[in-house]
Amino acid sequence: MWGDEAVTYRLAQRELYQLWETAQQVDLVHALYYAVMHLVFDVFGAGLLPLRLPSVLAMAAATAGVGLLGLHLAGPRAGITAGFVFALLPQVQKYAQEGRSYAMVCALIAWASYALVVSSSRRGRWRWTVYGFAMLLACLLHEFAVLALAAHGVTVIVSRPPRAVLRAWSVTAAGVVAGLFPLAIVSAGQSEQVSWIGEPVRPYPWLAAVMVGLVCTRAPLRSQGTVRLTALAVPLLLLPGALLLTISLVKPIFVDRYVLFGDIGLALLLGAFLEYVHRLPRYSWTVYVAVPAALVALVPLSSSLRAPQSRSNDATAIGAAVRAEGRLGDGLLYLSSQQRTLTAANPEDTRLLVDIALARDPVASNTLAGVERPAPEIAARMKQFDRIIVVRAAGIHAPGDPRERAKRDTLRRHFRAQTTNEVNGVRVTLYTRNAAPTLCARHQWAAQKRCGQ
């Protein structure tokens, strides 16, 4: 369980009114997902299986939606192949096993895309209602799902449907935007939540997917129905990521999981391309060679995605390291305060320790990481301990925060590091208090100071 999953795990166990009060201060963009997981925990209990099973089921539903899209747009063989390809994509496998909202968003967009395709060729207001509801739910689970709505707009325009279809989509899209607008306005005040993004995060899988998808479009892919397969797949694959990367030139905002639903477009293009190759008498045999070879090549990658090292941190291992290092009554310190979420997976890991800086715990303060004491008070409390365990995430600093500066200065002046345990991007260090100087040592220090040494 990594840090983001640990946040889901702890917040979903709060009461709904506590979730609402927390969301007004932080993480509003995930509030609906936390509420859904709260209901899941109420029914099945809190645990790793209930945490991740909804994502597994959601990605299975997304796979079914992709297969149905391929069937409707390019025929049965293309549909089966597209669904098969989608399930095997590394990014899909990665987020299918994670207790966050991205798999649910992917499933809703896949089925919304199918509703869009069907609505474009058949009359019926209820189909547009289904489309609008699915898109709105996806956007409320994660705001950046609205980028899929923009991609669908390109699909509708390129397909040149009857004026009634264009009008129906416009009205439905306006309803989705209106439903999302209050959330977007309020959550804009919580933009510090993404302040950790210093540069685009893992853009290369998306760039590779775009290159593969565009290569597939060079073949004369077969399409059927009002909406062509490329008209749906290419905007869905290309537009959301391109928009986020463009915005990142001003403010870094791109993270690969934010545009996970773009893999729907990639799977459709690959499925149709493999179906096209299979129809060529001279090259049909290559499909029977390429697919097994790809499966074999994916085995090591699929295995690595299921290892703790595939995540940026491992909250379970970090908590275990703190527990192994600590003794009853030892101090516990986080650099910075946001790293407190990294030991939230199991409260037993820190039960015997004293959180030196904490003034109000996360539940009482309706926050993710609690509220800390003023800097002078933190420094004074640190000096009361002989042993302090420090949890520090590599590469994450808050130099402008006086609390963090007080922690570092006090550690440097009054403590020395004894042992350090590196745990998947996080250092758990035991500091012990410096021995008090003897009278002779004090006189020597004073003499050196007078001599300017």
Side-chain angles (χ1 to χ4, degrees), residues 133-374:
F133 179 77
M135 281 305 307
L136 178 59
L137 197 56
C139 293
L140 294 178
L141 282 170
H142 198 278
E143 286 179 341
F144 287 156
V146 75
L147 298 173
L149 186 69
H152 286 164
V154 174
T155 298
V156 172
I157 293 172
V158 170
S159 299
R160 297 180 180 178
R163 185 173 298 178
V165 172
L166 184 59
R167 186 186 304 113
W169 180 85
S170 301
V171 171
T172 306
V176 172
V177 172
L180 177 63
F181 188 73
L183 174 65
I185 291 297
V186 178
S187 64
Q190 300 178 357
S191 58
E192 69 276 2
Q193 280 295 107
V194 293
S195 60
W196 61 272
I197 308 176
E199 59 184 11
V201 179
R202 293 183 298 272
Y204 302 109
W206 175 80
L207 291 172
V210 168
M211 291 178 62
V212 172
L214 293 180
V215 168
C216 291
T217 61
R218 302 301 297 172
L221 305 180
R222 185 174 65 179
S223 293
Q224 57 190 29
T226 305
V227 177
R228 295 181 60 84
L229 184 140
T230 52
L232 174 69
V234 172
L236 200 56
L237 171 61
L238 181 61
L239 185 62
L243 287 174
L244 283 190
L245 280 178
T246 302
I247 296 171
S248 293
L249 296 175
V250 179
K251 176 179 175 55
I253 200 83
F254 183 96
V255 182
D256 62 338
R257 56 183 177 267
Y258 294 169
V259 291
L260 177 64
F261 50 82
D263 283 343
I264 297 171
L266 175 62
L268 290 171
L269 291 170
L270 277 171
F273 178 78
L274 291 174
E275 197 271 343
Y276 161 73
V277 173
H278 187 269
R279 285 189 283 112
L280 298 177
R282 183 180 300 181
Y283 300 104
S284 60
W285 62 272
T286 60
V287 175
Y288 300 104
V289 175
V291 172
L295 289 176
V296 172
L298 281 172
V299 168
L301 179 58
S302 297
S303 298
S304 67
L305 289 173
R306 286 156 175 78
Q309 290 73 24
S310 67
R311 299 303 190 267
S312 58
N313 53 60
D314 183 353
T316 307
I318 294 166
V322 170
R323 187 172 187 172
E325 200 71 63
R327 300 175 184 173
L328 177 63
D330 283 352
L332 179 60
L333 201 66
Y334 297 91
L335 293 174
S336 66
S337 63
Q338 295 303 315
Q339 309 314 312
R340 191 170 281 107
T341 60
L342 296 177
T343 58
N346 183 10
E348 287 297 312
D349 291 333
T350 58
R351 183 174 60 86
L352 301 179
L353 308 178
V354 179
D355 194 332
I356 297 173
L358 188 64
R360 298 177 64 201
D361 65 70
V363 176
S365 60
N366 295 313
T367 60
L368 300 183
V371 176
E372 294 197 335
R373 303 172 187 272

Side-chain angles (χ1 to χ4, degrees), residues 329-334 340 353-359 372-374 377-385 387-390 407 411 415:
D330 283 352
L332 179 60
L333 201 66
Y334 297 91
R340 191 170 281 107
L353 308 178
V354 179
D355 194 332
I356 297 173
L358 188 64
E372 294 197 335
R373 303 172 187 272
E377 190 174 344
I378 293 174
R381 283 174 59 86
M382 288 175 65
K383 296 173 186 177
Q384 299 173 9
F385 290 83
R387 288 164 46 98
I388 296 178
I389 298 170
V390 176
K407 294 174 189 176
L411 285 173
F415 293 84

Side-chain angles (χ1 to χ4, degrees), residues 388-401:
I388 296 178
I389 298 170
V390 176
V391 178
R392 186 197 322 254
I396 297 180
H397 308 285
D401 191 332

